[in-house]
Amino acid sequence: MKFSDLGLCDELLRALTESGYETPTPIQEQAIPVALMGRDILGCAQTGTGKTASFTLPMLEALSSGRARARMPRALILEPTRELAAQVADNFEKYGQHQKLTHALLIGGEFMSEQMKTLERGVDVLIATPGRLIDMIERGKIILNDVKILVIDEADRMLDMGFIPDVEKIAGRLTPVRQTMLFSATMPKEIRVLAEKFLMNPKEISVAPPASPAETVAQKKVMTNRREKTNVLRKIMRGEDINNAIIFCNRKRDVDMLLKSLVGHGFNAAALHGDMVQFKRMETLDRFKKGEVTILVASDVAARGLDIVTVSHVFNYDVPMHADDYVHRIGRTGRAGRSGKSYTLVTSDDDKYLAGIEKLIGREIPLLEMDAPRQQAPAEPAVADETDERPRRTRTRRSKPAADAAPDVAAEAAPAADEAPAVEAAPVAGEEKPARAPRRARRPKAEAPEAQPSEAAKPDAKPPSKKAKTRKKAAPRKKAEPQEKADAQPYDIGAHNPQPAPKPEPRRRGRRDDSNLPGPSAFTDDDTPAFLLRPARKSAAG
């Protein structure tokens, strides 16, 4: 079957011929006629089988008649990543080059003002990521009431990235009478639940078992360890005839570290991950497509939908944690009927993930024998080595002489010691040894009285004792004798239990207390105020 048998218009057939396509793939052969009928489609196929053209060609055919209005697109395509959205836009330009249809790319990382100007002029097809599209909707810059065709591409990736709530929010703003097409490389249960919610009596098209890699890709696994992983990767790459290759890592920091190592060993490599600025990501992809960069070290951002036919090798530097990602990664090679190779480096920590991948694809990945060991030997307990030359720490003081003296010094000191006769110093009576010099300044002590010469000259005088002086114990106190009963004073209860002093009465507020004032009482018998009865002060003149 050829594209001319699918019922496409002459403009599309001419664009396909100029692009070099004559025979449709199995997914295109089954999906294009159903899409031209206006039915909903649930498509599942391997990566690299042409799913993008399965919905792009019938969409261009359906939109060939009609006109777009400002801020009201007629078709909407949702993509999980910016790179995949940009690739769909490129395919739209390639297939619709002979038609007067407009499109707009609505993704993050670019100036929103330029995107608003494009929407104001009116577009037929809007290709967007969920995040930027919701931002535009909330700003009131786009209206989705006129959308007649909705395409959800890479639905399983949308599910993994957490975009399903955003997709539901976007679908709620569309008219219920529309055509919806959902495509995915894998078909988990969650995708079927999503299809039942969005699709109406869909036609399910599956050209291959779900999550099955292409037969054109030769798969190999290599057992190694973490320390030798980078060396093993470089050894494999030097032994292969690489046209273009993609190396996948699980973490972004590993992408930068591996890139630095490869560039240092003379490889023509570049990095691609989500933390890069959008224009830098697009520039790196363009250089890789043109062949200016041979090796692309990337995260899972590049695992979906990148259609680069010249990729000959795929290396999994890290085993993917999700088994579905393995199918997408190795699907970057062996596209359009070409052959490709994939190598996966496996350590002892990746056994669980490897078992999940082999269970998903239904067969065991062949093993490639390498010189590098798979895992390191377990660490043995440290044993003291007699030949260890490193000095050990000791608790000896610095003032003590070193144990390992020089042999030549000891040899010179030995004959000298043999020639000298042994002389024993006889003790002299009454002679004291010289006092040792104090290490630190001591407090001056009181001068002791000078010793009598007669006593110092006595031969029987003993040297002063060096024993520490002991403090004499104080004599116990004598108990006081009890007094006689006749002298005992009578017990006074009041003296031992004094009564508490009476508290002063609290002063009442608002009333004046004149009791402490000098002069007569506050009021006399004739009720005359006290301040009138006080004597007047004498003036200075009187």
Side-chain angles (χ1 to χ4, degrees):
M1 180 179 289
K2 296 184 179 181
F3 282 106
S4 57
D5 302 331
L6 299 178
L8 299 175
C9 62
D10 297 337
E11 291 81 2
L12 291 177
L13 293 176
R14 189 174 19 163
L16 290 171
T17 303
E18 294 175 357
S19 301
Y21 300 117
E22 296 180 359
T23 304
T25 60
I27 184 66
Q28 296 171 359
E29 182 179 345
Q30 298 184 34
I32 290 177
V34 178
L36 291 175
M37 296 171 56
R39 288 192 59 182
D40 293 354
I41 295 177
L42 177 60
C44 179
Q46 300 170 349
T47 58
T49 55
K51 292 192 300 295
T52 304
S54 301
F55 60 82
T56 304
L57 294 176
M59 181 184 296
L60 292 172
E61 178 71 25
L63 299 177
S64 58
S65 61
R67 182 182 177 185
R69 291 179 288 179
R71 296 189 300 170
M72 298 181 67
R74 295 193 294 163
L76 176 62
I77 303 175
L78 294 178
E79 299 291 344
T81 61
R82 305 171 186 175
E83 289 76 17
L84 189 54
Q87 179 175 304
V88 173
D90 294 339
N91 292 338
F92 188 89
E93 291 180 356
K94 181 171 59 175
Y95 300 144
Q97 57 183 332
H98 300 295
Q99 292 178 316
K100 296 181 180 180
L101 296 178
T102 59
H103 73 283
L105 184 61
L106 203 63
I107 59 177
E110 295 186 357
F111 293 105
M112 191 176 292
S113 58
E114 299 295 333
Q115 298 174 354
M116 290 181 182
K117 292 179 181 179
T118 306
L119 293 174
E120 289 291 342
R121 291 192 296 265
V123 293
D124 295 293
V125 180
L126 180 62
I127 308 167
T129 53
R132 178 54 65 93
L133 180 58
I134 289 180
D135 193 5
M136 285 289 191
I137 293 173
E138 293 177 350
R139 292 172 181 264
K141 302 299 181 181
I142 189 171
I143 302 173
L144 302 178
N145 296 337
D146 199 25
V147 174
K148 297 298 187 296
I149 302 175
L150 172 64
V151 177
I152 303 174
D153 193 16
E154 299 291 347
D156 53 348
R157 183 62 174 172
M158 292 252 193
L159 179 66
D160 296 338
M161 298 178 67
F163 285 151
I164 297 303
D166 296 338
V167 174
E168 293 178 352
K169 186 176 181 180
I170 294 171
R173 294 179 175 269
L174 303 178
T175 57
V177 182
R178 66 177 185 271
Q179 181 185 9
T180 305
M181 292 180 282
L182 189 148
F183 290 89
S184 177
T186 58
M187 195 58 61
K189 297 180 180 179
E190 294 81 1
I191 298 300
R192 294 193 175 275
V193 174
L194 184 67
E196 294 177 359
K197 185 181 299 184
F198 293 156
L199 306 181
M200 182 180 298
N201 190 19
K203 173 67 175 178
E204 185 172 350
I205 301 174
S206 180
V207 297
S212 59
E215 296 296 335
T216 56
V217 180
Q219 308 174 50
K220 296 289 183 179
K221 64 181 178 183
V222 181
M223 298 301 180
T224 180
N225 53 54
R226 289 186 175 275
R227 292 186 177 181
E228 298 294 332
K229 184 186 289 188
T230 306
N231 298 331
V232 170
L233 176 63
R234 292 197 299 264
K235 185 177 180 180
I236 297 174
M237 293 173 62
R238 288 193 177 100
E240 293 288 335
D241 185 13
I242 298 177
N243 185 17
N244 277 346
I246 302 178
I247 305 175
F248 288 100
C249 301
N250 288 345
R251 291 174 291 271
K252 302 172 185 176
R253 62 178 183 180
D254 293 342
V255 172
D256 297 330
M257 294 174 60
L258 182 59
L259 174 66
K260 185 177 179 180
S261 175
L262 293 177
V263 172
H265 285 78
F267 290 93
N268 182 15
L272 180 68
H273 54 79
D275 287 348
M276 297 173 60
V277 187
Q278 180 61 27
F279 79 90
K280 189 67 176 178
R281 291 163 64 174
M282 301 302 297
E283 181 184 356
T284 304
L285 274 179
D286 292 340
R287 293 175 57 199
F288 185 67
K289 291 179 181 179
K290 294 177 181 179
E292 298 177 2
V293 176
T294 306
I295 300 171
L296 184 66
V297 186
S299 61
D300 283 328
V301 170
R304 302 291 179 121
L306 291 184
D307 188 8
I308 304 175
V309 184
T310 58
V311 175
S312 59
H313 292 73
V314 168
F315 298 93
N316 290 315
Y317 184 78
D318 296 321
V319 179
M321 298 181 182
H322 300 283
D324 297 339
D325 293 338
Y326 176 80
V327 179
H328 289 282
R329 286 183 178 183
I330 67 174
R332 299 311 101 203
T333 184
R335 303 177 72 87
R338 298 190 180 187
S339 61
K341 295 182 180 181
S342 69
Y343 294 89
T344 303
L345 305 183
V346 184
T347 63
S348 58
D349 300 332
D350 302 327
D351 291 339
K352 179 178 66 174
Y353 305 131
L354 179 63
I357 292 172
E358 294 178 345
K359 181 180 179 181
L360 180 66
I361 64 179
R363 62 176 180 269
E364 185 179 357
I365 302 175
L367 177 64
L368 178 64
E369 296 293 340
M370 296 292 295
D371 297 337
R374 179 185 177 186
Q375 57 184 1
Q376 301 176 3
E380 298 181 358
V383 180
D385 192 1
E386 296 179 358
T387 61
D388 191 1
E389 299 179 358
R390 294 178 299 177
R392 298 181 180 180
R393 294 184 178 181
T394 57
R395 295 182 177 273
T396 56
R397 297 180 180 178
R398 295 182 180 179
S399 59
K400 293 183 178 181
D404 49 351
D408 52 351
V409 177
E412 293 177 0
D418 296 339
E419 295 176 1
V423 179
E424 295 182 359
V428 181
E431 183 179 356
E432 295 184 1
K433 296 181 180 180
R436 188 176 182 180
R439 295 183 179 180
R440 64 183 69 179
R442 298 180 180 180
R443 296 179 181 178
K445 296 183 179 180
E447 297 180 359
E450 298 180 358
Q452 299 294 334
S454 60
E455 295 179 359
K458 292 181 180 180
D460 297 339
K462 296 182 179 181
S465 177
K466 295 183 179 180
K467 293 184 179 180
K469 297 181 180 180
T470 58
R471 185 177 180 182
K472 296 182 179 180
K473 296 182 179 180
R477 296 182 179 180
K478 297 182 179 180
K479 296 183 179 180
E481 297 180 358
Q483 297 180 356
E484 298 181 358
K485 295 183 178 180
D487 299 337
Q489 298 293 334
Y491 186 76
D492 188 1
I493 298 177
H496 294 276
N497 296 326
Q499 296 295 332
K503 296 182 180 180
E505 295 182 0
R507 182 178 178 181
R508 298 179 180 178
R509 297 182 179 180
R511 298 185 63 182
R512 182 176 178 180
D513 186 9
D514 296 335
S515 59
N516 297 328
L517 296 177
S521 61
F523 295 97
T524 55
D525 296 339
D526 55 354
D527 296 335
T528 304
F531 67 90
L532 296 177
L533 299 178
R534 293 175 185 171
R537 294 182 180 179
K538 294 182 179 181
S539 60

